[in-house]
Amino acid sequence: MAAAAQPGLGAEELALLEKSLGLQKGNKYGVQGERKIPVLQTNNGPSLIGLITVAAHLVKQAKKEQLLGSTAEEKAVVQQWLEYRVTRVDGCSSEEDTRIILKADLTVQEKEKYLNVSRWFNHIQHYPGVRQHLSNVIFIKNRLYTNAH
């Protein structure tokens, strides 16, 4: 495993996830390869490799499995979003591309364009402990346009 002097974005995200889940600090994160795939170096077993694998491990370790979904469908949707994060966000060619994909301050029209994402985000922000000190993002209840695109 090639550990970089600065951990990759995925390793930083995992450290933040660990903190937001209320886990004790102490996990050691590294990265592997040119794509800087995050790695969790465990004390009593093999290293865990990959953002999705390590994130799911941390959620289970914190005993907050409900964040991974309760039903088979919810679990599949969570898995889908985690895969989106890895394939689309990590696959961006520049920081500007990443900023565009992860833009948080969407206009009303953009929220309408990404209705399913907006609905999912609205659902997730109401889980206890997710928003922490951040204010609630407001979504309108009525669609602006009645025509499908």
Side-chain angles (χ1 to χ4, degrees), residues 42-139:
T42 61
N43 292 332
N44 54 355
S47 296
L48 301 176
I49 301 170
L51 182 70
I52 296 171
T53 301
V54 177
H57 170 76
L58 293 175
V59 168
K60 290 174 185 174
Q61 190 178 32
K63 297 184 181 3
K64 296 187 178 182
E65 289 90 349
Q66 73 274 13
L67 293 175
L68 298 175
S70 313
T71 66
E73 184 177 285
E74 286 178 357
K75 289 177 183 180
V77 170
V78 170
Q79 185 69 25
Q80 178 180 321
W81 282 110
L82 289 171
E83 286 179 20
Y84 177 86
R85 162 57 185 84
V86 170
T87 59
R88 294 293 303 222
V89 177
D90 286 352
C92 289
S93 60
S94 69
E95 284 187 32
E96 181 61 26
D97 289 344
T98 303
R99 259 189 242 108
I100 290 169
I101 288 177
L102 298 178
K103 182 180 172 187
D105 297 326
L106 298 176
T107 65
V108 173
Q109 290 82 5
E110 288 171 322
K111 287 178 187 174
E112 281 290 310
K113 184 177 178 183
Y114 302 108
L115 189 62
N116 291 333
V117 174
S118 296
R119 188 179 304 127
W120 172 81
F121 184 91
N122 191 38
H123 177 71
I124 293 298
Q125 77 175 340
H126 288 95
Y127 272 128
V130 170
R131 274 186 293 121
Q132 298 181 10
H133 66 281
L134 301 172
S135 61
N136 204 7
V137 176
I138 304 299
F139 291 87

Side-chain angles (χ1 to χ4, degrees), residues 13-23 25 29 58 132:
E13 289 174 294
L14 291 170
L16 287 171
L17 175 61
E18 178 182 70
K19 181 180 178 183
S20 69
L21 291 171
L23 293 171
K25 287 186 179 182
Y29 300 100
L58 293 175
Q132 298 181 10

Side-chain angles (χ1 to χ4, degrees), residues 32-38 86-87 90-91:
Q32 184 179 57
E34 283 182 28
R35 295 185 65 205
K36 296 186 177 180
I37 297 169
V86 170
T87 59
D90 286 352

